[in-house]
Amino acid sequence: MHPQPAPLVRVASPDDVPIEVIQALADHQRKEAERIRKYGHVRPTIAIDHKDHKVVAVGNSIHWSKSWKTFHDFLINYLGTVLGKEWGQAELAKPFEERHPVVQWYHHLCEFQQTSLKEKGTVTSAIMTGPVKAYLALAYDLYTLQHHVILRDSLVKRLKIKDQFQGARYEVYVCAACIRAGFDVALEDEGDGSTTHCEFVATHRATGLKYSVEAKSRHRPGLLGQAGDPKPVDQTEQDVIRLARRALGKGADHPRIIFIDVNMPPHRGGPFEALWFQSIARRLRLMEDKHSKKGTLPPAFAFFTNHPYHYVGNDEPEPGQTAFFTAIGIPDFRQPNPAVMKTYPALDELSHSVFNHTEIPHEFPQ
């Protein structure tokens, strides 16, 4: 038998395409480019109006409600759905001081809504506070993971355990940050205890380069679900450098990227003016000089981030996040030279995204 010839397909010339179609395509491309500029490479929001409901697709799940008017409305409900209604109700039944941090944020969010909403059923603008940003940022990061079909039940379970919440929450952030920067994320096998390994492998879609990524968060008593009473800030640099060494000690099959959360109160002024930044940068170089001579320090790209939302209440605006990017054991980064980033395009895009893609979408797409 002879294969049948494929049917002929007529390819239209530009003169055959109606001008309104060309304009619609150009408008779509413009809007998509603007979306990526503002929010990064997260898959577009999939939402439709069906009868009197807003229907939202997230990965392989569907969510709907009659009351969602903004994407923030959806995110508030979405986080409760991910963590579970029964779990949330059990936490709300506890005294405020004993509740899980997410449920404490939710309490502040409800207070914020009560004081900000001018009329029920209408959309109101208000300056976001620390607890509100903390709640919405976690919801958006989880949405990002599920929308890219990499949200594991085991990670959600860890988020719900009070003393494991901080580490799990930072892993969620780092995964979402890499996705926003244009990386595909492949989580490592958590059940493999035969060797140490990083949290996940991130593949930069534009270049195909692969990186082993590890995330560490500095714990402080009385904050983010950790036991004890809050104490004055001290010995930050020692804690952070210790975390950096632990991150560098994990097994890695690819060039390393480490993320370290410094967990410090907000600083008034630029991040490079903060004492914690200056101290960490100095100790980092001392550690690098000491170990590079012995050849015991694997090279790595390093992000040090601070998300101080949990240090402020509803009485002041959310303080915003800060970060700085450097490298350990990579000579190109020993001298300040912005041009060096052009030779590391994947890291250039990741650092740009970490610094710039901090906004949470507030409207559904039209």
Side-chain angles (χ1 to χ4, degrees):
M1 296 179 63
H2 298 284
Q4 296 295 320
L8 296 176
V9 177
R10 180 175 179 270
V11 179
S13 69
D15 293 338
D16 296 330
V17 180
I19 186 63
E20 58 269 21
V21 174
I22 295 176
Q23 291 174 339
L25 288 172
D27 186 56
H28 171 76
Q29 291 175 334
R30 179 188 59 78
K31 289 181 178 178
E32 181 64 5
E34 177 62 14
R35 184 188 69 82
I36 293 173
R37 185 192 68 79
K38 289 181 66 175
Y39 306 117
H41 294 273
V42 180
R43 290 173 177 169
T45 301
I46 303 173
I48 63 169
D49 293 314
H50 179 66
K51 295 183 179 178
D52 54 351
H53 288 75
K54 178 71 74 174
V55 181
V56 183
V58 186
N60 52 13
S61 66
I62 301 293
H63 306 256
W64 62 88
S65 174
K66 292 182 178 181
S67 61
W68 298 337
K69 294 185 179 298
T70 68
F71 191 65
H72 284 183
D73 294 336
F74 157 73
L75 287 176
I76 292 169
N77 183 268
Y78 171 76
L79 181 51
T81 300
V82 171
L83 297 179
K85 183 178 179 180
E86 291 184 2
W87 176 84
Q89 289 177 337
E91 287 292 325
L92 284 170
K94 299 176 182 179
F96 180 84
E97 295 76 14
E98 299 177 12
R99 294 174 186 171
H100 189 283
V102 173
V103 182
Q104 292 180 346
W105 296 340
Y106 178 73
H107 173 89
H108 291 299
L109 170 64
C110 292
E111 288 185 337
F112 175 80
Q113 289 177 318
Q114 290 171 359
T115 57
S116 301
L117 291 177
K118 298 182 175 69
E119 184 179 346
K120 187 176 181 179
T122 62
V123 176
T124 303
S125 296
I127 298 175
M128 193 176 294
T129 64
V132 175
K133 182 61 179 285
Y135 187 95
L136 287 175
L138 174 57
Y140 185 54
D141 287 346
L142 286 171
Y143 160 85
T144 299
L145 267 61
Q146 187 172 17
H147 206 31
H148 289 254
V149 200
I150 62 167
L151 180 59
R152 287 179 173 173
D153 292 340
S154 58
L155 183 55
V156 174
K157 182 178 180 180
R158 288 174 54 212
L159 284 171
K160 293 159 67 173
I161 300 172
K162 202 172 179 181
D163 61 357
Q164 296 185 30
F165 168 72
Q166 181 178 348
R169 198 278 169 260
Y170 194 57
E171 290 174 29
V172 169
Y173 160 74
V174 173
C175 281
C178 288
I179 290 171
R180 288 190 281 267
F183 288 76
D184 290 326
V185 171
L187 301 176
E188 294 284 6
D189 182 6
E190 295 177 343
D192 181 10
S194 61
T195 183
T196 64
H197 54 72
C198 293
E199 312 289 358
F200 59 87
V201 173
T203 303
H204 187 234
R205 289 195 293 272
T207 62
L209 295 172
K210 294 180 180 292
Y211 297 88
S212 295
V213 183
E214 176 67 10
K216 296 289 185 186
S217 182
R218 175 178 179 255
H219 291 177
R220 293 190 61 202
L223 295 172
L224 293 175
Q226 299 302 307
D229 297 323
K231 298 179 180 180
V233 177
D234 59 358
Q235 296 185 332
T236 306
E237 60 275 11
Q238 292 97 320
D239 293 345
V240 170
I241 296 303
R242 190 180 304 116
L243 289 176
R245 285 200 297 263
R246 287 174 55 191
L248 293 171
K250 292 293 186 74
D253 295 327
H254 310 284
R256 300 167 187 266
I257 301 174
I258 64 172
F259 278 80
I260 307 294
D261 168 41
V262 301
N263 190 10
M264 291 289 289
H267 169 75
R268 306 299 180 186
F272 301 121
E273 301 170 3
L275 293 178
W276 63 260
F277 163 77
Q278 298 172 19
S279 180
I280 290 172
R282 183 173 61 253
R283 286 182 173 268
L284 200 63
R285 292 307 169 213
L286 289 173
M287 180 186 73
E288 183 180 26
D289 290 340
K290 176 182 177 181
H291 288 272
S292 61
K293 295 176 182 178
K294 300 178 181 179
T296 57
L297 192 70
F301 302 98
F303 289 87
F304 293 84
T305 65
N306 194 36
H307 304 84
Y309 312 132
H310 53 286
Y311 285 95
V312 300
N314 272 348
D315 54 344
E316 58 182 301
E318 64 95 356
Q321 70 180 58
T322 56
F324 74 91
F325 168 62
T326 186
I328 303 169
I330 300 176
D332 289 350
F333 287 79
R334 288 304 298 247
Q335 300 297 327
N337 179 12
V340 74
M341 292 305 298
K342 299 306 177 184
T343 64
Y344 297 89
L347 274 300
D348 189 28
E349 189 163 10
L350 179 56
S351 62
H352 173 83
S353 185
V354 166
F355 292 125
N356 293 283
H357 296 147
T358 61
E359 186 178 348
I360 301 168
H362 52 83
E363 301 294 341
F364 287 109
Q366 297 297 318

